[in-house]
Amino acid sequence: MTTAVTENGSDVLRPREYQLEMLRDSMQKNIIVAMDTGSGKTNIAVMRIAAELERCSPNKRVWFLCPKVALAQQQYRVISKQLPSLLTKLLLGRDGCEFWSTQSLWDEVLLNVRIVVCTHDILSNALSHAFVRMADIALLVFDEAHYCKANHAANKIMQHFYHPTRLKNEGVVPHVLGLTASPIFNDGALGLQIIERNLDAICRTPRLHREELLKYVHQPKLELKTYEYGDLSGSLAFHKLDIMFHGIDINEDPWVKYLRANPDHDSQKLEKAYVDRKTDCQEQLKALVGTTRTVDAELGSWAAEAYIRYCIDGFKRSKQDIMVYSSSLEEGEIAFMYNFLIGLETALGPKWPEVKLTSITPKVNLLIEILLKEASPEFSGIVFVDQRAVVCVLKRLLEAHPSTKSRFRIGASVGTSTNTQRKAKISDSVTRDPDNEELEDVLDDLRSGKKNLLISTTVVEEGIDITACNTVICFDQPKNLVSFIQRRGRARSSQSKYHVMLPEHVSGSATKKWIELEEKMKQMYMDHMRELQRLEHLETSDDGHREFEVPSTGAKLTLHDALPHLWHFCNTLPKTSYTSLDPIFICEGAAASESISCRIILPNCIDSSVREFESSRLWSSERLAKMDAAFEAYVGLYRAELINDNLLPQTRLDEEEEEIYRKIEKRENVVMVNQVMNPWRSVAEAWDKKNYLQVTFITISNGADVQLQMRMLLPRRLTHVESFKLYYDADTEFVASFSQLDGDEYNNEWVTMANDFTKTMLYSAFRTRMSLAQDGFPVLFAPNEGVVTDSIERMQGNRKAKEMHLEDRDVYDVGLIREPNGVPYFFQGLEPSPEMLPENGRLRSTTLVAFRCPKRTNYLHRMAEDAIKKATVPVPLDLEHCTVDELPVSFARFAFFIPSIMHKIRNALIVEDLCSSLLAPVEFSDKSLVLNAISAPVAQEDADYQRLEFLGDAILKYYTAISLTAEHLNYHEGYLAHLKDRVVSNRALAIAAKEKGLDRYILRRQFTGTKWRPLYNEDILAGEDCKEEELSTKILADVIESLVGAAYLDGGEPKLLACLCALLSKTHWTPLSHRNQTLITATSHLPSPLPQSITHLQSLILHTFTHPSLAIEALTHPSHISLTKTSLSTPSYQRLEFLGDAILDQIVTKRIFAHTPALPTHQMHLVRTAAVNADFLAYLALAHKVSIPVTNVVPLAIPASPLSSPRKRRKSPEGTVTHPPPETTQGEVDMNLLSLLRREPSVDFSAALSATTRRFEALKSSLSSALDAGDTYPWTDLAVLAPEKMISDMVESVLGAIYVDTKGDIEACEGFLKIMGVLPWLERALREEVRVWHPKEELGVLAAQTQKKVEYVVSADKTNKNRTAAAADEVEGGHLVCRLKLGGEEAAVARGTTRKIAETRAANIAVKKLKADDHAGPANEAEAGEDMDIVDQEAVKNDGLTNPNRGSPIDSDPDSSINADNQPSPIDPNNQPTPLDPSPSPSRASLISPLSSDSPIDSPINLPRYNPVDLAPGQDSPIQLFSDDILEDEPYPYRYGPYGDHRDYGIPSHNAGREGGGAAVGTGGGSSAGKSKEKAIVIDDSDEEDEGGVRVGGGRAGEVKMETSEYWSCAEEL
């Protein structure tokens, strides 16, 4: 794969061009891909598998065949990670596939499986028994295809099944893809032809893109190294072993003893045992001697003795050894072997030898010399060794040698065997050392640099993915050309070396063979270089000429400009993680014949109709063919209107819009606008016309008590005035309500009288602010009951207070009281006051008590507290000097309300003007919605636009997204987002508002009344034109959104569309039903049968797609490449995600808006953010799963038979090997949206998704609790989850797909959101008032209250080098630490793997600290419950991940007996051991050799492990423990263990189960074996790491130790 670097710095893997060339060839015919190691053959296979499964029937499968188990395991991991949506199955010999004897079992195991990875033998056997048929296979992939010859199982598959099916036309044979780095062995071209014929394929290597392949392949330098053979006489340790082996008395062999004691058996067997010495014990020891001889000769005396000791210790150490050897040895034979090995150990002595130069062979010395010569900080090497035992011992030798132990970090690999019939050998004990690492772990360490040297057998020679090494050493020379080439391929770093070690005695011809091979390699390399030079010459020598011109602009495209233009266009496409925007070029033809054509594939975010183009003719070079294809592509994009007339991407605004933008002030978010219109001008003009008069009733009431009714006269229509409150004082509120009367003709007399009455009222309240000389008010008031002119004249006067007889008058009948200076008061009463202080030398006889009339003119807002106090203090007045107005106090009181009433009338007039002009097409029926929509919050009206703006914002985006998606069917998401911004962005809406003159209708100034003066018509008409003022563009945009929301509430879609057409006329608005029909009509048809991914998706979301291609599109990541034109070649999900985002926003917004009681605006925004944010959606997508049934096969553990004869227990009477029927378990594989994602195979992509999955598993419990029942939204945990964005994108894309599929059925969309969990959480959050403030936002509010500045300081933690940095600012070198400061002082410290996590945690800590009592010192994570680092510290190395060994269900081996927690699966309680006959054959029992007290036993024995089973109450354990002093009185009960093949004998301690008493089964008793005085042989029924079991041995809890004197034969007691 080739790597491209995106803008954010992340690596993006894309297929190299030569890989795409091979993939294209494979799609057309069967081929064998022959490319060097490291060139990416597996990537080709993965892409080929994905392409085949997209086009084939869902009933067919792909079989990926490997020659070796380790390779199969590796390829299974690669395929299952790269193609997670396709269920992959790994079948190995350990599963006992050769014993699956029914079709139903095979069908059960392969249920829902699309890809099977196995060795050739497994498929060959399945085909031979017709459990699998060629017709069921879509594609056969042969990894290491050169094995397909002679009698190899790979060739059997082809010769016995593939070719006969093809020749007989019995069915469609599968496609074939072979992979190899060495298509021949030693037989040249003939061998290649044989393999091609066998595989029915043609061997192919890149031709058109060969120069790219050559750049990625580095040939190592070959160096031949020779060594002398050392002393071959053998070491002392070997001689001791050899002498003891040949000194064994054959009569003591357990098998010979058995035959002699049973003369009825075939006498020839006994004779053969004497003559050939072929017994199990002899064969085991013979193998030990032979391997020791090899180790001695290859490595030296130290290694030989070390190997022997490893074998002895391995036999004694492993507690599972008896299980291991039970398939080849009986208990008596094991005892015999044990005695022999203990004697050998005694003979060797107690000490381990030291590694000296004299104790190793010249061959090892040469190896060390090479290693030291090549050693460097960048060293990375592999040593190939033939024999497994030599590998293990050589590793230990180099780790112990003084010259190498500190220079190299060594790993070893000997491979694994899954052969269920393989006999365990003592000579292999070293390979079963528990210190040996698994192959995958070793390779991971090699890749990461934890190890830099690997010693291995041929297991890593072929196929295994190993990091590029700079040194490869053949400790044993390659056996053939394939081995030579495969090993050489491991040295693929630049300037690497390939060492082949040869003994000096090797003939000159053999040496010459390797030299000739090296010369051929050099010649081949030189030929490649010359070919590369020739191709480069062709690229630059030819020239072509093509031209395209746009008539309207004169913009011109030439052949040489096409590629740069196309790259620029691709660079403007939407950028997505793990996705390259580079176009793909696929060339065809041959450069030699100058007949190359090129096909270009653009990124899949481009619509399918304009994604692929081909060159117009054949060219002599790739360069020109690519230029021509790019030319065709760019012209095609222009014709599809994806390129404008200037031959640039469609991202520029038109000239008119740019001119408007230039008018906007440079200061951000501010624009110059007109002042608010003056509606009184039209009123004044209407008075002059004198042709209409509208009368409106105004009622002032206090609850049910009507205080006053007045008439209001206007010369123009006013259809509606909203009721409002008048705040008179702290305790009194009035409501002013309006009711309309029909308009009438102008009545001059009535107008004159109303004008006089209005002047009288205004003068009574505002005489200092007006003149009696002026007339003509815009609004006239009159009493509800008619008044005559003389009455009005009387009301204009006043009388002296002392003449009014006020003591007999009600306070409401008295006009305003005035002092001589004219200050008005409200009459309260009379009060005799002889005690009043003297004034002017005398006491007042009577005091008039009154309240001073307020100076305020604004009764629309509550009074301030200090004003309330002043207004409620009674004032004593001198009755003799006061006057009383004739105007009734009720009218005077109304006069004070007139400024507030006129403000409301002004607002209503503005609404009326707006609705009759700009919004006339909408025909609003509820004018109050319009009033709210144009009222900015700063105006402090009774209601503002914020709630309507919240609704309108979502509705506008919803209609815009659907309209644009339907109108521009071939526009990618980037263009759609750009077009949407040109409609709905604040800047665009502000421009639209200014263009339409909406700025003149926006209420944005608060009414205070402080400078209020009565208005006169003549002054209004003489006024100047409106001036401009500054206004926030956001207010302009908010008003448009508010009007959209108001129109929607007032009349649904019809009025909404009318409003959109009126305000945003540049966009073409039509009913959604039309748009939905356009979208569904453009949907491509997907023929049956449906891909499996669609079936899984429909099960997951409970929606059956009428148009399944929408489901495919919703699952397709932008990285996915469709190299073939199939029905599944859909664009990526980005268009649907663009649509789904708006749909989700609209659904959530409407539910929040409709909640009762109505939520405050800020709360609505918080809840919506919580419900639709990407982290939350991603969590729901990961949590919601559908279970796919699968069948798992329990790996076979072939037990020994309970028959008395060692030979009889191995074979049935018929002489065939018998095996128990395979055991299967029914399981499920969970699939979520992420696992269905169609994407390009990428290691980094897979690693990122696996990391997200691991974080999800770690956080799942806490997130589930918080979201299901918590009272606080888990912002911090969601930040730690840090999911990849594409997960939430998938939720929105599926939502968009459902919308289009159902033609806009919102109920279906809501059903999906209910299933995913979005709406259930939203309903709970609204119902239970879940706290949804983000910690950073809440901290900002709290800090503002204390006027403290919040500062986040994020840095790398230099104190912990093990932490991994993953911050947004690319801080390197450790975990990130956020130090949060409030007012300059450190308030909280928190860690995080990203800046977002660290800052969120710190904010949460600080919030909790501010809410609680002040703490001393800065807070930390421990003080904030949710912010405890729930991800363990070791897992932080994996970017906050948990157990790195735990994979997703798709990644794990379904046949593994290890469960998701890396623990052995529990024993099936139904699988109880069957008690066997307690009386075995006496002859058999008597022949089990007792271990006498003379036996050299000085260490404990580990007997078979017993796995506990569920016991019924009172039921005895199958294991019985007895002390030797009670055996005399009690019978010895025994039962077979759970494996049904081992007798459990033991001598337990008296203190079993007591503290310090040795051990007891499953009780956890026993502290230290050293404390127990009792000696016993016990059975360990515990897990390896548990303390509750029993073991034989010392130094651990629950173990007891047994001395030689107490060893005895259980058989004799029986």
Side-chain angles (χ1 to χ4, degrees), residues 140 428 627 679 709 797 829 961 1038 1235 1273 1360-1361 1385 1464 1536 1559:
L140 283 173
D428 292 335
M627 290 164 56
Q709 283 190 327
D1038 288 350
S1235 61
Y1273 190 79
N1360 192 338
K1361 304 297 183 181
E1385 297 182 359
Y1536 283 91

Side-chain angles (χ1 to χ4, degrees), residues 607-773:
D607 187 72
S608 304
S609 63
V610 286
R611 194 185 310 154
E612 295 190 23
F613 298 90
E614 295 184 359
S615 55
S616 61
R617 66 178 179 88
L618 300 179
W619 295 85
S620 60
S621 68
E622 283 186 27
R623 182 178 67 92
L624 291 172
K626 290 179 180 178
M627 290 164 56
D628 188 32
F631 186 92
E632 291 290 324
Y634 210 73
V635 172
L637 293 172
Y638 169 77
R639 289 171 177 160
E641 299 183 358
L642 298 177
I643 301 296
N644 64 18
D645 287 343
N646 298 108
L647 294 181
L648 292 171
Q650 293 274 22
T651 56
R652 298 175 61 85
L653 301 172
D654 57 42
E655 294 181 1
E656 183 181 352
E657 285 178 323
E658 290 199 6
E659 178 63 25
I660 295 174
Y661 276 132
R662 280 194 291 269
K663 292 181 179 179
I664 294 181
E665 291 287 340
K666 293 183 179 180
R667 282 174 292 176
E668 188 176 4
N669 300 328
V670 173
V671 64
M672 296 302 295
V673 299
N674 295 313
Q675 289 183 344
V676 181
M677 68 167 293
N678 184 0
W680 302 119
R681 177 179 290 273
S682 64
V683 174
E685 292 173 348
W687 282 119
D688 285 346
K689 295 178 180 179
K690 300 182 179 180
N691 56 10
Y692 179 84
L693 189 64
Q694 177 176 299
V695 179
T696 302
F697 279 115
I698 303 177
T699 302
I700 307 297
S701 59
N702 184 359
D705 184 13
V706 175
Q707 300 291 318
L708 179 68
Q709 283 190 327
M710 298 287 289
R711 295 189 183 192
M712 180 181 73
L713 281 66
L714 279 174
R716 53 164 290 183
R717 183 177 299 278
L718 181 63
T719 58
H720 178 76
V721 181
E722 192 74 16
S723 299
F724 57 90
K725 288 184 177 181
L726 296 168
Y727 300 96
Y728 182 71
D729 55 31
D731 302 320
T732 307
E733 294 181 5
F734 296 107
V735 175
S737 57
F738 300 78
S739 56
Q740 308 293 342
L741 292 180
D742 294 336
D744 199 353
E745 294 182 359
Y746 190 85
N747 186 319
N748 190 61
E749 181 181 356
W750 177 245
V751 171
T752 302
M753 183 187 64
N755 182 77
D756 293 342
F757 182 77
T758 302
K759 181 192 294 186
T760 301
M761 283 196 303
L762 290 174
Y763 189 76
S764 70
F766 307 106
R767 62 179 55 190
T768 60
R769 302 187 184 190
M770 62 179 292
S771 170
L772 288 175

Side-chain angles (χ1 to χ4, degrees), residues 364-548:
V364 175
N365 275 324
L366 175 61
L367 174 64
I368 294 175
E369 178 184 334
I370 296 172
L371 290 173
L372 295 178
K373 181 180 178 181
E374 300 295 339
S376 69
E378 297 79 24
F379 174 84
S380 177
I382 302 176
V383 178
F384 283 102
V385 181
D386 285 347
Q387 297 203 23
R388 302 167 77 231
V390 177
V391 168
C392 297
V393 180
L394 179 59
K395 172 182 180 290
R396 289 163 174 79
L397 189 154
L398 294 178
E399 289 176 335
H401 197 283
S403 300
T404 55
K405 64 181 180 181
S406 61
R407 294 197 177 196
F408 301 98
R409 304 177 298 278
I410 306 171
S413 173
V414 295
T416 58
S417 174
T418 60
N419 187 351
T420 57
Q421 302 184 54
R422 179 183 177 93
K423 294 182 179 181
K425 294 181 179 180
I426 297 173
S427 57
D428 292 335
S429 295
V430 67
T431 67
R432 294 191 300 273
D433 191 324
D435 293 335
N436 293 342
E437 298 176 272
E438 293 292 333
L439 173 60
E440 187 60 29
D441 294 336
V442 175
L443 297 182
D444 287 343
D445 290 344
L446 196 64
R447 296 183 190 107
S448 65
K450 188 176 181 180
K451 289 183 171 59
N452 60 2
L453 179 61
L454 172 64
I455 303 174
S456 177
T457 60
T458 58
V459 67
V460 299
E461 190 175 84
E462 295 179 319
I464 299 297
D465 180 25
I466 301 178
T467 186
C469 298
N470 51 35
T471 302
V472 171
I473 304 172
C474 295
F475 189 75
D476 297 310
Q477 62 177 311
K479 295 292 189 294
N480 50 48
L481 180 58
V482 170
S483 180
F484 177 79
I485 293 175
Q486 295 283 12
R487 294 182 182 185
R488 183 196 67 192
R490 297 305 173 189
R492 58 179 186 265
S493 292
S494 180
Q495 306 298 320
S496 57
K497 291 184 179 179
Y498 182 35
H499 300 270
V500 179
M501 297 174 54
L502 302 169
E504 280 187 343
H505 72 276
V506 172
S507 65
S509 60
T511 305
K512 184 178 179 181
K513 178 182 68 173
W514 301 119
I515 295 176
E516 290 175 352
L517 281 172
E518 169 63 7
E519 291 301 320
K520 289 182 180 179
M521 289 167 53
K522 288 182 178 179
Q523 185 64 40
M524 185 183 302
Y525 178 68
M526 294 304 296
D527 290 342
H528 286 175
M529 292 302 297
R530 284 194 292 270
E531 176 68 6
L532 181 58
Q533 292 171 3
R534 187 186 72 82
L535 293 172
E536 289 176 348
H537 175 71
L538 280 175
E539 292 293 311
T540 57
S541 61
D542 195 2
D543 192 12
H545 181 76
R546 292 191 67 187
E547 225 175 57
F548 173 79

Side-chain angles (χ1 to χ4, degrees), residues 1179-1439:
Y1179 163 78
L1180 296 179
L1182 293 171
H1184 181 60
K1185 301 176 181 180
V1186 62
S1187 296
I1188 307 301
V1190 295
T1191 300
N1192 298 325
V1193 181
V1194 178
L1196 290 180
I1198 304 300
S1201 170
L1203 299 177
S1204 59
S1205 167
R1207 302 304 175 214
K1208 286 184 177 180
R1209 70 167 172 81
R1210 291 174 197 139
K1211 289 190 176 182
S1212 67
E1214 292 78 14
T1216 59
V1217 179
T1218 58
H1219 300 280
E1223 181 181 349
T1224 62
T1225 60
Q1226 297 303 315
E1228 293 178 340
V1229 172
D1230 290 334
M1231 282 196 173
N1232 51 28
L1233 274 182
L1234 179 59
S1235 61
L1236 299 176
L1237 180 66
R1238 300 172 73 228
R1239 60 180 176 84
E1240 192 63 18
S1242 163
V1243 174
D1244 289 346
F1245 203 158
S1246 299
L1249 297 184
S1250 296
T1252 297
T1253 301
R1254 290 194 292 270
R1255 288 194 295 271
F1256 167 76
E1257 292 296 332
L1259 295 160
K1260 179 171 59 176
S1261 177
S1262 61
L1263 280 171
S1264 176
S1265 299
L1267 294 172
D1268 292 345
D1271 58 359
T1272 302
Y1273 190 79
W1275 286 110
T1276 305
D1277 278 357
L1278 288 173
V1280 175
L1281 179 62
E1284 296 292 330
K1285 182 180 180 297
M1286 83 271 302
I1287 305 176
S1288 59
D1289 287 347
M1290 290 186 72
V1291 176
E1292 294 172 339
S1293 66
V1294 172
L1295 179 61
I1298 294 173
Y1299 177 88
V1300 176
D1301 188 61
T1302 59
K1303 297 183 180 181
D1305 186 350
I1306 292 298
E1307 289 187 3
C1309 296
E1310 291 178 337
F1312 167 71
L1313 294 178
K1314 287 179 181 178
I1315 291 172
M1316 295 302 297
V1318 176
L1319 296 186
W1321 177 85
L1322 177 62
E1323 291 169 359
R1324 189 184 76 84
L1326 294 173
R1327 182 177 62 254
E1328 301 179 12
E1329 299 182 358
V1330 174
R1331 189 174 185 81
V1332 292
W1333 267 26
H1334 191 283
K1336 294 180 70 173
E1337 183 179 7
E1338 187 172 9
L1339 177 63
V1341 173
L1342 293 175
Q1345 294 174 355
T1346 58
Q1347 297 182 345
K1348 292 182 178 180
K1349 179 183 178 182
V1350 180
E1351 184 179 5
Y1352 297 89
V1353 180
V1354 180
S1355 60
D1357 182 8
K1358 304 298 184 182
T1359 63
N1360 192 338
K1361 304 297 183 181
N1362 292 327
R1363 293 182 180 268
T1364 302
D1369 59 356
E1370 299 180 357
V1371 177
E1372 298 180 359
H1375 207 53
L1376 296 181
V1377 176
C1378 177
R1379 302 183 183 280
L1380 189 151
K1381 296 182 179 180
L1382 282 178
E1385 297 182 359
E1386 190 171 283
V1389 178
R1391 299 181 183 274
T1393 54
T1394 66
R1395 175 184 290 274
K1396 174 183 175 182
I1397 296 173
E1399 290 182 352
T1400 304
R1401 284 177 167 165
N1404 200 21
I1405 295 168
V1407 167
K1408 294 183 178 182
K1409 182 179 179 181
L1410 288 176
K1411 288 183 176 180
D1413 294 332
D1414 291 337
H1415 297 291
N1420 52 45
E1421 281 111 326
E1423 297 175 6
E1426 180 190 340
D1427 297 279
M1428 293 297 293
D1429 200 344
I1430 64 169
V1431 183
D1432 58 65
Q1433 298 302 313
E1434 182 63 25
V1436 172
K1437 300 176 183 178
N1438 295 317
D1439 191 18

Side-chain angles (χ1 to χ4, degrees), residues 1455-1470:
D1455 296 335
S1456 174
S1457 60
I1458 304 299
N1459 60 26
D1461 295 321
N1462 281 340
Q1463 297 296 329
S1465 299
I1467 293 178
D1468 185 354
N1470 298 320

Side-chain angles (χ1 to χ4, degrees), residues 145-359:
H146 49 267
Y147 279 93
C148 190
K149 59 186 299 184
N151 293 322
H152 194 275
N155 197 30
K156 292 180 181 178
I157 293 172
M158 299 302 293
Q159 299 303 326
H160 297 170
F161 306 101
Y162 177 90
H163 289 293
T165 303
R166 179 177 59 87
L167 294 175
K168 295 178 182 179
N169 293 322
E170 294 179 352
V172 179
V173 294
H175 300 279
V176 176
L177 173 64
L179 309 174
T180 183
S182 47
I184 58 174
F185 280 82
N186 293 315
D187 39 12
L190 179 59
L192 178 59
Q193 294 174 7
I194 292 173
I195 293 176
E196 287 182 333
R197 184 173 63 251
N198 292 344
L199 284 175
D200 190 28
I202 302 299
C203 190
R204 284 287 181 263
T205 191
R207 296 166 295 142
L208 297 174
H209 303 284
R210 184 164 35 176
E211 67 274 19
E212 184 189 31
L213 173 61
L214 296 177
K215 293 175 183 178
Y216 286 100
V217 175
H218 305 285
Q219 297 290 348
K221 179 182 179 182
L222 174 65
E223 293 191 3
L224 301 179
K225 302 290 186 179
T226 59
Y227 58 88
E228 297 180 355
Y229 270 123
D231 184 10
L232 300 179
S233 60
S235 64
L236 179 60
F238 168 72
H239 284 297
K240 289 182 179 180
L241 170 61
D242 191 53
I243 292 171
M244 288 185 63
F245 171 66
H246 288 93
I248 293 175
D249 183 359
I250 192 63
N251 290 310
E252 296 299 321
D253 189 286
W255 173 238
V256 174
K257 284 186 175 184
Y258 174 77
L259 293 177
R260 290 174 61 188
N262 292 271
D264 53 326
H265 280 277
D266 190 352
S267 60
Q268 292 182 357
K269 291 183 179 180
L270 180 60
E271 181 180 350
K272 187 175 182 179
Y274 275 115
V275 174
D276 298 335
R277 301 179 69 90
K278 286 190 176 181
T279 68
D280 282 350
C281 291
Q282 294 294 315
E283 291 296 321
Q284 288 276 356
L285 294 176
K286 184 178 180 180
L288 177 62
V289 172
T291 306
T292 304
R293 181 185 288 110
T294 300
V295 172
D296 193 4
E298 292 288 318
L299 306 181
S301 59
W302 182 92
E305 183 172 345
Y307 169 71
I308 294 173
R309 291 184 181 274
Y310 278 124
C311 290
I312 295 173
D313 286 353
F315 187 84
K316 296 189 300 179
R317 179 179 56 248
S318 176
K319 66 183 180 181
Q320 295 183 358
D321 269 352
I322 288 183
M323 271 302 299
V324 172
Y325 292 111
S326 63
S327 61
S328 54
L329 297 175
E330 289 289 339
E331 289 89 340
E333 292 168 326
I334 291 174
F336 177 85
M337 296 291 300
Y338 184 82
N339 284 330
F340 177 87
L341 294 176
I342 294 302
L344 177 60
E345 184 180 41
T346 302
L348 291 177
K351 293 183 178 180
W352 284 82
E354 295 181 358
V355 181
K356 299 179 181 179
L357 293 178
T358 57
S359 63

